[in-house]
Amino acid sequence: MSAIRLPAVVNVTDWVAVNRDQFLPPVCNKMLHTDGQLKLFYVGGPNQRKDYHIEEGEELFYMERGDMELKMLIGNRFVSQPILQGQLFLLPGNLFHSPQRAADTIGWVIERERLASEIDGLRYFLETADGTPTLRPLFERYVHMRDLGSQVAEIIAEYRRSEEFRTGQPTKSASDNADTAAVAYKPELRPLPPVTLADWLDKHQQELDNAEVKNGSSSLEVFPSQCGYQFLVEVVGRSDGRQEFVEYNCETWLLQLVGECSVTFYVEKGQTATARRLGEKDSLLVPAGVAFGVVQSAGCRLLKASQDPGRKGY
Ligand SMILES: [Fe+2]
């Protein structure tokens, strides 16, 4: 039997309580998973920023306490999308976005490890005298993102030392490292509206408890895959463990929303490795390529999220 490193169960309520100081300024965030392919961090506030981030990966937002605003450039127009407490929002790749968070709020965000060829951008837009952003860049930097925490902070610090920050006017060097390989903005993309998870669970209650739908497991996609997302975000309902879930190219994050379940890992088909029990708000990161089954009774709900760059559909 080949050895797999089985993940530890983390209760996110306890983890947030232990790390509560990390969600206050100036840090405002703490990574729960950072070493592998899936990057998951919890974010607090206040954090009102003017920089806009852009990458080829998608970002999945969830607000656990309080509301946030996600400013975005959609169709070359600046819009502000509220993401309310209890809502999930899937941001497509290739869109400029700038999260705005108030004090005493907490949410989580999932991103993914960048491919070797991918270059992220961080841009400040030139503003008019009354502070309205225009489409002209004021200052921007493009980097291969290896460390979300430190590299963004370095660019913000560089901006605050810059001539552009001091004068509010672009200089010749404002975009001097703009790489031709850098991520391209796609003005035609339109994100789906946020999903209120509790309402979504209510609406799909019957389908989620009908375990005969798919070989013993009733799992439903929150954001339909025909939209061409890299993300696969599903809720698993009643399940007898017969169906094996596996992602070969990416990690899968599991978060128990309601009730409890047992997650059984398989080394080879039909061969039981070991099981982990998840209670409410317990989370688990499944390594890439590891098949697993879920056993849970009707009424229990497990959130399952992964992002495979190979699914890039737009
Ligand atoms: Fe971002």
Side-chain angles (χ1 to χ4, degrees):
M1 183 189 286
S2 60
I4 51 169
R5 241 186 49 223
L6 285 172
V9 174
V10 178
N11 182 276
V12 294
T13 308
D14 295 347
W15 184 85
V16 166
V18 166
N19 292 291
R20 96 169 170 260
D21 294 350
Q22 304 285 313
F23 306 116
L24 301 171
V27 186
C28 288
N29 70 72
K30 168 99 178 166
M31 303 293 299
L32 175 60
H33 295 295
T34 188
D35 295 334
Q37 185 269 341
L38 180 145
K39 314 287 179 192
L40 191 149
F41 52 99
Y42 274 74
V43 203
N47 197 358
Q48 311 284 333
R49 289 161 48 173
K50 293 210 163 180
D51 54 286
Y52 283 74
H53 176 228
I54 186 166
E55 61 158 316
E56 289 185 49
E58 297 161 356
E59 300 185 14
L60 181 67
F61 292 79
Y62 179 74
M63 285 310 289
E64 205 149 288
R65 185 166 78 220
D67 309 335
M68 66 171 282
E69 296 269 336
L70 188 64
K71 292 186 180 176
M72 293 176 285
L73 189 63
I74 306 285
N76 284 319
R77 291 167 60 99
F78 290 96
V79 298
S80 188
Q81 171 67 62
I83 305 174
L84 309 180
Q85 180 170 314
Q87 286 187 328
L88 274 169
F89 180 75
L90 181 47
L91 174 75
N94 301 80
L95 286 178
F96 283 105
H97 59 277
S98 179
Q100 311 294 317
R101 297 176 184 275
D104 205 28
T105 61
I106 287 196
W108 51 253
V109 181
I110 302 180
E111 299 187 9
R112 63 160 172 77
E113 184 177 45
R114 311 305 194 252
L115 302 177
S117 58
E118 289 178 334
I119 307 282
D120 284 34
L122 210 68
R123 176 186 285 183
Y124 293 82
F125 289 92
L126 180 67
E127 294 183 342
T128 60
D130 66 359
T132 309
T134 70
L135 293 177
R136 260 187 88 193
L138 170 66
F139 179 96
E140 61 188 345
R141 290 292 179 266
Y142 291 86
V143 293
H144 175 64
M145 196 68 78
R146 275 176 296 267
D147 180 339
L148 284 169
S150 69
Q151 285 175 282
V152 171
E154 278 165 25
I155 297 174
I156 294 173
E158 187 190 346
Y159 168 67
R160 295 187 76 86
R161 292 190 304 268
S162 72
E163 173 97 11
E164 292 86 346
F165 173 70
R166 197 173 56 76
T167 62
Q169 291 302 315
T171 65
K172 248 177 62 187
S173 64
S175 307
D176 63 357
N177 82 331
D179 190 316
T180 49
V183 52
Y185 170 58
K186 295 190 177 172
E188 70 278 14
L189 294 179
R190 300 286 180 276
L192 294 172
V195 170
T196 303
L197 194 53
D199 294 350
W200 188 92
L201 292 174
D202 275 351
K203 191 176 159 201
H204 297 285
Q205 194 172 349
Q206 286 198 342
E207 295 146 276
L208 286 168
D209 283 333
N210 179 3
E212 296 315 311
V213 175
K214 273 194 271 175
N215 195 24
S217 272
S218 45
S219 57
L220 280 185
E221 289 178 15
V222 180
F223 301 98
S225 57
Q226 58 265 38
C227 295
Y229 284 111
Q230 298 167 57
F231 255 107
L232 178 61
V233 183
E234 286 182 301
V235 172
V236 182
R238 186 172 150 211
S239 180
D240 64 11
R242 266 183 296 151
Q243 186 190 3
E244 287 181 20
F245 299 101
V246 62
E247 286 277 7
Y248 291 100
N249 300 316
C250 57
E251 296 172 332
T252 298
W253 189 53
L254 302 178
L255 176 68
Q256 188 71 28
L257 300 173
V258 181
E260 58 172 21
C261 78
S262 169
V263 181
T264 305
F265 299 95
Y266 304 102
V267 176
E268 288 171 12
K269 195 163 178 59
Q271 191 174 23
T272 301
T274 188
R276 291 277 188 270
R277 178 155 291 279
L278 300 188
E280 231 158 79
K281 304 306 281 294
D282 278 346
S283 93
L284 187 66
L285 188 68
V286 182
V290 172
F292 62 97
V294 175
V295 176
Q296 68 178 356
S297 44
C300 298
R301 302 289 184 254
L302 175 70
L303 182 75
K304 178 173 161 292
S306 57
Q307 186 182 186
D308 180 352
R311 279 194 290 260
K312 273 184 195 180
Y314 48 81

